[in-house]
Amino acid sequence: MTGPFTMPHGHSHGGSSEAGHDHGDHHHHGPARYDRSFALGALLNIGFVVVEAVYGLLANSTALLADAGHNLSDVMGLLLAWGAAWLGRRIPQGRYTYGFGNASILASLLNAMILLIAVGAILLEAAYRLADPQPVAETTVMVVAVIGIVINAWTAWLFMGGQKRDINLRGAYLHMAADAAVSVGVVIAALAIRFTGWLWLDPVTSIVIALVIIAGTWGLLRDSVRLAMDAVPDGIDRAEVERYLAGLPGVEEVHDLHIWPISTTETALTAHLVRPGTDQGDGLLLELSSVLKDRFGIGHATIQVEQDGSCCRLAPPEVV
């Protein structure tokens, strides 16, 4: 390992360089602009949860009560995601040298777990009501559910723009969109009960709501666990990144390549490049930094350049 590399920010490291660490990208232009969306979404849904729970009790509707419980878990999810976004904008300090962006991953994981716990409670209550169906005030159920359609659809729209690049925002968007669809189902069930008198439709609708929640939450849980386990984020092909690095001028070998998320919107990379007998200038690093950011979405890359890869104890692929 030879030759000091000068980082874009002017810091010098012997034999290694941190390429592409864009301090302003995630911390100031990511989830920050969704603070208003989080606040509006949380306030509207807290109010709706109260209305839905009260009228669910008055109308004796497990479907409304189930949806109220689901909406309450969504409020908790919104607050968790909002708190994680706020933490993610704090600068690195003390022992948290990567900052607090990882809180967004933990929030998405906790959000998924809360939703699945809520599903268990909904299914249990629906089972009791299915065994002993109770009369339902159909008109009240329909009016409240229509209000839910409007609120949940509008809240989902607030997060539509960011849901493709942030798992927290995607979770908020999917849950609110699912809630709107579920409320449509509640309206249909109430209409069916009015015209048929089939009281069992109310608990059956609760079961359908639970299945919808499971379907929407499973992907969120899976992706959250992967991110928490430092798996390569979706949308990044590790083999393609390795081929790109191996094809750089003078590079004979790439080893100790790691790609992992440091938040739900920012990805880090470390790699060792073996470049014997080459000029260790900054030009290659600046180009590498730009390509990793623009082509692969990796904004925090640290590259170590070595003259002789056989001297590196991390060269074997089985060594972490």
Side-chain angles (χ1 to χ4, degrees):
M1 176 167 52
T2 63
F5 278 1
T6 302
M7 293 172 56
H9 298 294
H11 303 283
S12 179
H13 294 261
S16 65
S17 174
E18 185 175 346
H21 184 189
D22 187 347
H23 291 285
D25 179 63
H26 167 65
H27 295 295
H28 300 291
H29 301 290
R33 60 185 172 188
Y34 287 92
D35 282 351
R36 184 169 177 268
S37 298
F38 279 124
L40 289 174
L43 286 173
L44 281 173
N45 279 274
I46 287 172
F48 182 59
V49 165
V50 173
V51 171
E52 200 168 27
V54 169
Y55 281 95
L57 291 171
L58 294 176
N60 199 30
S61 169
T62 54
L64 277 184
L65 291 174
D67 201 35
H70 181 204
N71 275 289
L72 179 59
S73 65
D74 282 342
V75 170
M76 295 174 66
L78 285 174
L79 294 177
L80 281 170
W82 190 7
W86 176 79
L87 282 174
R89 295 194 297 271
R90 297 185 63 187
I91 62 173
Q93 56 183 310
R95 300 174 67 179
Y96 301 95
T97 56
Y98 269 122
F100 300 87
N102 198 255
S104 58
I105 298 174
L106 298 178
S108 65
L109 180 59
L110 185 56
N111 186 17
M113 294 171 64
I114 290 172
L115 283 169
L116 291 178
I117 291 172
V119 166
I122 290 171
L123 289 174
L124 185 61
E125 180 61 25
Y128 287 139
R129 288 298 185 98
L130 196 57
D132 182 23
Q134 300 291 323
V136 175
E138 302 92 347
T139 302
T140 301
V141 171
M142 284 188 289
V143 171
V144 175
V146 167
I147 296 174
I149 293 171
V150 174
I151 290 177
N152 288 316
W154 187 72
T155 305
W157 175 79
L158 291 175
F159 297 101
M160 184 180 294
Q163 55 97 14
K164 291 184 179 180
R165 62 177 181 272
D166 188 330
I167 192 174
N168 266 342
L169 298 181
R170 190 179 86 201
Y173 169 76
L174 288 176
H175 290 164
M176 294 302 146
D179 281 350
V182 166
S183 294
V184 172
V186 171
V187 172
I188 294 173
L191 283 171
I193 291 173
R194 168 172 286 186
F195 290 109
T196 65
W198 296 343
L199 299 179
W200 53 265
L201 283 174
D202 184 66
V204 166
T205 301
S206 298
I207 294 174
V208 172
I209 290 173
L211 294 177
V212 169
I213 298 172
I214 291 173
T217 303
W218 189 253
L220 178 66
L221 178 63
R222 180 197 61 218
D223 293 343
S224 298
V225 169
R226 286 177 179 173
L227 292 179
M229 295 293 291
D230 289 339
V232 178
D234 288 343
I236 297 178
D237 186 334
R238 184 191 181 282
E240 187 179 352
V241 173
E242 186 169 10
R243 283 194 297 270
Y244 163 69
L245 294 174
L248 291 170
V251 174
E252 292 188 356
E253 180 189 333
V254 177
H255 60 258
D256 198 38
L257 173 61
H258 299 281
I259 305 170
W260 75 99
I262 53 179
S263 76
T264 54
T265 57
E266 191 171 10
T267 303
L269 172 149
T270 60
H272 293 194
L273 306 183
V274 180
R275 300 180 75 229
T278 56
D279 177 27
Q280 310 295 345
D282 288 345
L284 179 66
L285 288 176
L286 292 173
E287 177 188 352
L288 183 157
S289 158
S290 177
V291 172
L292 287 176
K293 176 72 173 176
D294 298 336
R295 178 176 166 185
F296 299 103
I298 300 172
H300 189 130
T302 303
I303 304 298
Q304 177 169 303
V305 178
E306 302 166 350
Q307 291 282 351
D308 183 3
S310 63
C311 297
C312 180
R313 71 174 186 84
L314 298 176
E318 69 274 8
V319 177
V320 178

